[in-house]
Amino acid sequence: MFKDIKPRIPKNYAHGRYYDMEAKLINIDEWRLVGEGGVGKSYVNLEDDSLFLKLNNTAVSREHAELEYLNSKRFCTLGLPTPGIYDFVTDGTRYGYTGEFLKGKKSFASIMAGNPSCIDQMACRFAQKTRELHNTMVDTSNSQDLMTLKREYLGDMSFVPKDVADVVSGYFDCIEQGYSCLLSDLNPGNLILYQGKEYWIDTGASSYGNPIIDFASMYMVLHFMPLNMSKDLFHLNHRQFRLFYTKVLQYYYGKAEIDADIMDKIRKVALINCCSAIRFQPSSAPLFIPLLRNQTLRFEAIRILASLKRQNK
């Protein structure tokens, strides 16, 4: 039922242009590994520690890496605080980019993990910076809105059962068109504090659209992923991350109780994201298909089992 599908970039992404930029060849021996994520690794230059390198894993296509680089460069032109982005590079097999390294930076996630009593304060600050982000308009002539990209990426959704595809397809139309700048991967790990000032990082998937789309990625981790996933990603346990997310929404919307309509739309976009996860990693289907079918008890049982397996690794 679930066939392996390689990740792809929609053919008409960025007005149908595949970019074929020249990649600057780098010597990986000149860089020191400082971090590792799900799709790549981060390095700092041995001779100049103000230089940062992000290299994607070999499974990430060159086209995807180029688009990530171009999105990051485009984000730098918006006037929002973010480290500089320099060259598109390769070590011969992997592709990525170099940029400015802010030595001594700390993410909001690591700050809260070290001092949980400041979660409310950091949530308020995060909400303020997110509002600034979403109040920034982008040049729509050189990018596509994020919901259109999601629709194109999922295609006819033949990789999920038809009953699931029919339901999720209807979710796209419930989100009003927006023109706000979106990070696409909004989370407390991607807002950092450096010398008293906030900076957005990991902007390679940035686009534009309805602000609700940004909140769906955090909602997915909180409500749909294994219970200990927030600890792995953001150094916060599930209770701490739930508190942070709730507070961010309250400060962002200026309400103690968020409108049910807003939460419903956030949840529907998060379910679209679940389909994207299956598209990218078919092995996640056994977890998400019961959720997408609203089989609550079955989903929760699988979610708990997945959490226990992760703990025992």
Side-chain angles (χ1 to χ4, degrees):
M1 182 182 297
F2 306 111
K3 54 188 178 181
D4 289 334
I5 302 176
K6 294 182 179 180
R8 66 179 178 87
I9 302 298
K11 289 184 179 180
N12 59 349
Y13 184 94
H15 303 282
R17 295 193 297 271
Y18 276 119
Y19 295 92
D20 188 18
M21 299 182 298
E22 182 178 352
K24 180 179 179 181
L25 184 65
I26 54 103
N27 181 357
I28 196 61
D29 292 334
E30 297 174 355
W31 299 82
R32 173 172 59 88
L33 181 67
V34 293
E36 187 169 356
V39 295
K41 296 180 180 180
S42 303
Y43 303 81
V44 172
N45 190 270
L46 291 174
E47 293 187 0
D48 183 354
D49 61 5
S50 69
L51 284 178
F52 167 83
L53 166 67
K54 178 183 178 182
L55 276 182
N56 290 301
N57 297 333
T58 54
V60 178
S61 69
R62 176 187 178 123
E63 290 84 5
H64 186 99
E66 289 182 16
L67 289 170
E68 182 181 56
Y69 169 73
L70 290 169
N71 283 338
S72 299
K73 290 283 283 187
R74 187 182 298 122
F75 192 91
C76 288
T77 69
L78 298 176
L80 291 163
T82 187
I85 302 296
Y86 303 145
D87 298 315
F88 181 60
V89 300
T90 181
D91 68 347
T93 58
R94 299 174 292 170
Y95 291 88
Y97 58 85
T98 58
E100 178 185 14
F101 182 65
L102 304 181
K103 189 176 181 180
K105 63 178 175 61
K106 281 193 173 183
S107 70
F108 274 44
S110 62
I111 292 172
M112 290 185 292
N115 180 18
S117 65
C118 74
I119 289 179
D120 182 86
Q121 174 189 350
M122 300 305 289
C124 179
R125 203 164 175 177
F126 188 91
Q128 291 171 348
K129 303 312 293 185
T130 301
R131 270 199 165 278
E132 291 178 15
L133 172 76
H134 291 164
N135 285 335
T136 300
M137 299 294 109
V138 302
D139 180 2
T140 60
S141 66
N142 60 10
S143 61
Q144 280 184 303
D145 70 279
L146 193 52
M147 192 56 75
T148 296
L149 290 175
K150 288 178 181 290
R151 190 192 295 265
E152 291 175 354
Y153 176 72
L154 293 178
D156 62 5
M157 289 197 283
S158 59
F159 52 93
V160 296
K162 187 177 184 304
D163 62 307
V164 170
D166 289 343
V167 171
V168 175
S169 295
Y171 293 161
F172 286 95
D173 297 325
C174 77
I175 310 299
E176 299 84 357
Q177 175 66 64
Y179 298 92
S180 296
C181 179
L182 303 180
L183 200 65
S184 181
D185 189 17
L186 185 73
N187 68 69
N190 285 342
L191 186 61
I192 63 171
L193 196 61
Y194 175 69
Q195 296 184 353
K197 183 177 179 180
E198 299 89 349
Y199 292 81
W200 293 107
I201 62 171
D202 285 348
T203 58
S206 58
S207 186
Y208 72 90
N210 191 309
I212 282 175
I213 302 171
D214 252 354
F215 291 115
S217 56
M218 281 200 288
Y219 185 98
M220 180 178 175
V221 174
L222 180 62
H223 293 281
F224 299 160
M225 303 295 281
L227 296 172
N228 48 10
M229 182 70 82
S230 59
K231 189 73 171 179
D232 293 345
L233 296 176
F234 312 128
H235 317 295
L236 302 170
N237 62 40
H238 189 75
R239 181 189 60 80
Q240 291 168 336
F241 188 54
R242 179 185 290 274
L243 175 61
F244 172 77
Y245 185 70
T246 300
K247 290 291 185 180
V248 167
L249 290 180
Q250 290 173 341
Y251 284 121
Y252 183 92
Y253 288 104
K255 298 179 179 180
E257 293 292 333
I258 310 304
D259 293 347
D261 179 61
I262 291 175
M263 293 308 304
D264 179 63
K265 290 176 180 178
I266 290 175
R267 185 178 188 276
K268 285 177 178 176
V269 177
L271 290 170
I272 292 173
N273 291 345
C274 290
C275 282
S276 296
I278 297 173
R279 178 77 167 81
F280 186 82
Q281 189 175 2
S283 62
S284 65
L287 172 64
F288 292 128
I289 292 300
L291 170 68
L292 293 164
R293 283 179 166 157
N294 202 28
Q295 296 171 333
T296 306
L297 292 178
R298 184 181 176 195
F299 164 70
E300 289 297 341
I302 295 172
R303 187 186 189 204
I304 291 171
L305 287 174
S307 302
L308 292 174
K309 287 182 179 179
R310 289 175 61 85
Q311 287 178 345
N312 292 331
K313 282 185 178 180

